[in-house]
Amino acid sequence: MRIRQQAACAAFFMGAMAIAPAWAQTSQRLLTLDEVLRAARDNPDVMLSRQSLAAARADVLAADHAPPPLLTAKSSTIDLQNGVGGGDIGRKRVDNSLGIDWTWERGGKRSARTTAAERAADAALADVDDVQVQQLIAAGSAFFDLLGAQERIVEVNAVERSAQQLSDASARRVQAGDLPAQEAARTAIEAQRSRVDLRAAELDRERAQISLTQLLGPGAAVRGLAANADWPALTLPAGDTDLDALVDARSDVRAAQARVASTDAALAAAQAQRSADVVWGVSLDRYPGTSNRLLEVRAVVPLHWGYQFEGEIGRAQAVYTQAQDALARKRHDAKLELQRLRDEAEANARRLQIFEKDILASARQVADNAELAYRKGAMSLSDLLDARRTLRATQLDAIAARVDHAKAALAWRLRTQPMPTP
């Protein structure tokens, strides 16, 4: 009986050693983390933000010019009662005039609206940087989700193959009268559960492939997409980091600061409307019979009686105050986010360190001892299955810890260090 038991365990062990990853058996396109980040830097969301930047820069050109001059041509003093006289148009008694008018903007209106547009363009530029960081973090997280899903398939596939080997060996032992049918049924159920777990792991991989493809852009293929094993080194974030300096350097905070400056300039432009603009004009007149060279000089000034642009100024003041409040909130949220990212990076690094140095090694040792004891007949099938389940759960937890650490480390790096150049 012990010989048959040892033969079954040996067959099970050899089957487990011969496992190949399911995702490695098909045509693949292996992606590294750097390739994913380069693709995410120019994905559709980033391109949309760049178009917004182009529009904001065009607004600067629209703001930085004076009102265009006006050319006026007219015919006046047409006597409908007595007539305009005979002859051609040049001899008729009609006052023909050709003039030009130009608006003199006062109060610094042009400078204020140009400054407002320039600061809005600065905010749009910072928005591009912020969208890039967000897309890099999202793409990196999707990459590590796919990598973790691939490694889970490897582990679950190994468990499924091993469980099937043990189930087949148990069935043969039942036929030989060396094992109760109840024990064989338990191993068959364990094999079926492992197959279900494998299908679920493959579905998780497909979901991760789709999520990563969405972040890479419409040109990326879903099928055959695989992540290269680019796990980051196990490091702890620096504990003496100056979070206030990092907050000021963040792109979203810089965008909020630029919007405050833009609304401040817009408020100045609204207040400048109280300075009335003057329209200067000059015309050259020709009146046959009197003179062919008559000059007219004019000035037009609007009279702001009863209204001093209180509505425009009040709205601009409210928008400026709103931008200041948004900046204060953005600073507060940014500092809290950096604190969270640092805490997550540190906690996940310590968690992974414990798994790799202590828990995972202990679980493997327990499983190896259980296999040895079962081969020698010193352990029951129930205890062996429990040891295997513990090892499987520990391995999957270690993969989850590795994924969480990789995500947290990448997010902390992208939020605290300059972005890598393309």
Side-chain angles (χ1 to χ4, degrees):
M1 177 177 178
R2 181 172 297 180
I3 294 176
R4 290 198 187 105
Q5 191 179 44
Q6 292 175 351
C9 289
F12 153 75
F13 225 68
M14 293 300 293
M17 296 295 292
I19 295 171
W23 54 269
Q25 297 171 0
T26 59
S27 177
Q28 300 175 6
R29 184 196 170 195
L30 279 177
L31 288 176
T32 64
L33 178 60
D34 289 340
E35 291 174 337
V36 168
L37 296 181
R38 282 197 298 269
R41 193 178 288 108
D42 297 317
N43 72 4
D45 288 340
V46 177
M47 297 305 295
L48 286 175
S49 66
R50 287 175 179 164
Q51 292 302 318
S52 298
L53 172 60
R57 287 174 171 169
D59 289 339
V60 177
L61 298 178
D64 190 16
H65 70 82
L70 300 176
L71 179 65
T72 304
K74 68 177 182 177
S75 295
S76 61
T77 318
I78 301 174
D79 192 345
L80 300 180
Q81 179 178 359
N82 302 313
V84 295
D88 57 18
I89 188 66
R91 295 181 178 272
K92 295 182 181 298
R93 292 190 302 273
V94 176
D95 183 8
N96 296 311
S97 174
L98 183 66
I100 189 169
D101 295 271
W102 172 75
T103 301
W104 174 31
E105 287 187 300
R106 301 174 60 242
K109 296 182 181 67
R110 177 178 177 179
S111 176
R113 68 170 178 265
T114 302
T115 301
E118 289 174 344
R119 299 294 79 78
D122 293 341
L125 178 60
D127 285 339
V128 173
D129 294 339
D130 188 54
V131 171
Q132 278 190 330
V133 172
Q134 293 177 8
Q135 294 303 305
L136 290 176
I137 293 175
S141 297
F143 173 85
F144 290 123
D145 283 336
L146 177 57
L147 182 54
Q150 292 171 181
E151 294 201 357
R152 280 192 293 272
I153 287 179
V154 174
E155 298 296 342
V156 176
N157 197 8
V159 172
E160 190 273 336
R161 187 70 63 86
S162 302
Q164 187 60 49
Q165 291 283 346
L166 182 59
S167 177
D168 294 342
S170 299
R172 290 192 296 270
R173 291 178 61 189
V174 169
Q175 293 177 356
D178 191 31
L179 189 70
Q182 181 70 15
E183 297 293 326
R186 293 182 60 191
T187 59
I189 293 173
E190 196 71 18
Q192 292 174 350
R193 289 181 57 187
S194 299
R195 284 193 292 272
V196 172
D197 291 342
L198 179 59
R199 299 290 86 78
E202 291 173 346
L203 178 60
D204 289 340
R205 180 194 61 191
E206 293 174 1
R207 289 171 177 166
Q209 288 174 332
I210 293 174
S211 297
L212 181 57
T213 304
Q214 290 175 334
L215 292 165
L216 295 182
V222 178
R223 297 296 178 184
L225 193 65
N228 194 33
D230 288 343
W231 294 113
L234 182 58
T235 56
L236 294 175
D240 56 348
T241 306
D242 186 0
L243 294 182
D244 291 330
L246 292 177
V247 166
D248 291 334
R250 280 175 59 116
S251 53
D252 52 352
V253 174
R254 289 189 284 108
Q257 290 172 334
R259 287 190 172 90
V260 170
S262 177
T263 55
D264 186 26
L267 175 59
Q271 293 171 340
Q273 294 184 75
R274 289 175 171 174
S275 298
D277 296 338
V278 180
V279 179
W280 297 99
V282 61
S283 297
L284 183 63
D285 291 11
R286 179 177 181 275
Y287 192 79
T290 301
S291 176
N292 291 329
R293 293 189 298 274
L294 299 174
L295 182 65
E296 178 187 28
V297 178
R298 57 187 173 273
V300 180
V301 180
L303 301 178
H304 300 155
W305 291 348
Y307 184 69
Q308 295 295 320
F309 298 94
E310 291 87 357
E312 289 84 348
I313 295 174
R315 176 176 175 77
Q317 181 65 58
V319 173
Y320 173 64
T321 304
Q322 186 181 41
Q324 288 181 314
D325 294 340
L327 173 59
R329 180 174 180 179
K330 181 62 68 175
R331 285 181 181 276
H332 179 261
D333 293 346
K335 187 170 184 179
L336 291 179
E337 183 188 14
L338 288 175
Q339 290 175 344
R340 176 182 61 82
L341 291 177
R342 183 177 61 183
D343 294 342
E344 288 180 354
E346 181 178 357
N348 285 307
R350 295 190 185 280
R351 174 188 170 204
L352 178 59
Q353 188 177 40
I354 294 174
F355 263 103
E356 291 187 344
K357 290 187 177 181
D358 299 324
I359 299 177
L360 193 57
S362 299
R364 285 171 178 163
Q365 183 64 40
V366 170
D368 292 342
N369 293 338
E371 297 288 347
L372 179 61
Y374 183 72
R375 288 199 302 269
K376 294 182 177 181
M379 179 175 285
S380 65
L381 178 62
S382 297
D383 293 337
L384 175 63
L385 294 178
D386 288 341
R388 289 183 180 178
R389 293 191 192 105
T390 300
L391 177 60
R392 178 184 62 182
T394 303
Q395 289 173 330
L396 296 180
D397 289 343
I399 294 174
R402 194 174 297 118
V403 171
D404 291 341
H405 165 259
K407 289 181 180 181
L410 178 66
W412 173 252
R413 178 168 65 87
L414 291 175
R415 278 301 187 187
T416 57
Q417 298 178 10
M419 287 194 305
T421 56

